Amino acid sequence: MTRFAPSHRSRLRRWLAAATAVLLPLLGAGLAVPGSAAASVPTTAEQAYYDVTSPSTTAAGLATDLTRRGYDVLEGPLTHGVPILATAADAQRLRHRGLTVHYAGPLYQPVASTFRAAAGTYYGGYHTAAGHEDHNRQVASAHPDLVVLRGIGQSWLKTQSSGGHDIQALCITKIKAGDCATTSGGSKPKFTLMAQMHARELATGELAYMWIDYLVNNYGANADVTRLMDTTELWVIPIANPDGVDIVSSNSTRPVSQRKNAHDNGCSGTGRGVDLNRNSSYHWDVNQGTKCSETYPGTNAASEPETQGIQNFLAGIYRDTKPSADFSPATTDTTGTFLTLHSYAELDIYPYGWTNSLAPNNNDLRTIATAMSQSNHYDVVHGDGGLNYFAPGATDDWIYGTRGVPGYTIEVGPDTSGCSGFFPRYSCMSSFWSLNRPAFLTLANAAAHPYPTGH
Ligand SMILES: [Zn+2]
């Protein structure tokens, strides 16, 4: 389907920079204590998707205003207004301000009454953080010739000795001496796929889970996968924000809409935490949001243990081939690629995300993103998508800007249809997988020589 103004539907979630945000009461947004049970009965306080329009303001201006007022503004086609996630009471409040507010759909899809959650799953089949960790251990133990499991850091709760998790990474390759080290000395180029940094983006962790199984199950059976695993280290960080995922999965039929980590900053509900995709130490920007907002970047760059663990790990495995100046190109002998999965909006995003100025390796970066889009058919974008909202402090910019490694974001899933939203039915995973698996392979194969032109 041809979509109106793809660049304008692109960045409201990712790029919204809230100079100041006043958090609305997040009634019904769920409890922020892992393991707690939120109410499962729909109430007027339950959140849903709405489209907001103003008779006197452009959609972009309205989006800025709503973000400043603390609304959870989403990506989406602005043809129907500014998409937000809000309670019915919030929607009524906006109508009283003279805005037009249309109900666009429920946050939750019904889970079949016949569904019985297997251990480690919730909401129709999505894996909990513990479910991923069991899977990681099982895969590593079943395939010692193909998989190395590493802990690369700790979640915020773990650093507080209050439960929490280690951040886990798998190295998947046909293991030879020197492979899967946490230094850049190995002989194989590296591709890293990271998922669920934003905890409520359920489809992303599940794609990582499927990618792991696909690789280990096809070594020796599928010639392309076999060649790839013979020549490339395929790293996977399935859950970048496990504390956040614990909060999300604390309600197994109506997941909690937690985006950030679990850092206790005094905010209630899903206001708790730091946006890990604004916390990286490259162009970190204090003005991304006040502490209870969804894009709160933390007190300083890389303030969060999750960020520190992930950055230290990535800085270790990738050779640095780029001068630190923003617009000095990485060298043509750069190896490696990186992908972080988010949802939703059907985008293939390439650097930079903090500025509209073209990255110095722009042509090669765009060529790879365009190749990815040939399989998933998502829009290829960079910069602010035409809206003046940027994503400083994001992981994809950090790895390109500081190491020279091509860093990409895929925003998985559509804006509309039954598979849209943060919490699509589990059955949507099969279409997400078939669309995106070839894009993962494209990026993995590009790791050997991502910058053929040097431009
Ligand atoms: Zn995200």
Side-chain angles (χ1 to χ4, degrees), residues 27-208:
L27 299 172
L31 303 174
V33 180
S36 67
S40 60
V41 179
T43 70
T44 54
E46 186 165 285
Q47 291 180 304
Y49 297 101
Y50 294 90
D51 292 323
V52 187
T53 52
S54 163
S56 57
T57 316
T58 63
L62 180 59
T64 306
D65 180 53
L66 291 171
T67 301
R68 195 170 53 242
R69 291 169 184 277
Y71 286 88
D72 193 353
V73 176
L74 308 171
E75 299 153 335
L78 296 181
T79 40
H80 299 116
V82 176
I84 64 170
L85 188 57
T87 64
D90 295 336
Q92 202 54 32
R93 223 169 274 135
L94 291 171
R95 291 184 186 107
H96 287 149
R97 286 183 50 218
L99 301 170
T100 303
V101 184
H102 288 299
Y103 175 80
L107 177 58
Y108 300 114
Q109 301 294 329
V111 176
S113 60
T114 52
F115 174 75
R116 294 290 175 269
T121 70
Y122 66 110
Y123 195 58
Y126 293 93
H127 289 85
T128 61
H132 275 276
E133 289 162 3
D134 285 344
H135 180 242
N136 293 344
R137 274 190 293 273
Q138 287 163 14
V139 167
S141 131
H143 302 279
D145 56 327
L146 301 177
V147 179
V148 173
L149 173 60
R150 294 195 182 281
I152 61 169
Q154 296 188 333
S155 68
W156 185 84
L157 285 173
K158 183 141 190 186
T159 64
Q160 305 299 303
S161 303
S162 180
H165 297 259
D166 290 328
I167 312 289
Q168 296 192 340
L170 298 162
C171 175
I172 305 177
T173 191
K174 179 62 180 173
I175 297 170
K176 293 188 294 200
D179 285 353
C180 297
T182 51
T183 62
S184 63
S187 59
K188 293 174 180 171
K190 300 169 176 84
F191 166 60
T192 301
L193 182 152
M194 182 171 79
Q196 223 159 344
M197 174 165 269
H198 287 152
R200 67 184 175 183
E201 298 169 9
L202 299 195
T204 66
E206 214 57 25
L207 285 174

Side-chain angles (χ1 to χ4, degrees), residues 310-325:
I310 290 165
Q311 284 192 180
N312 288 341
F313 164 71
L314 295 172
I317 68 167
Y318 288 106
R319 203 159 43 91
D320 183 2
T321 57
K322 186 179 176 305
S324 56

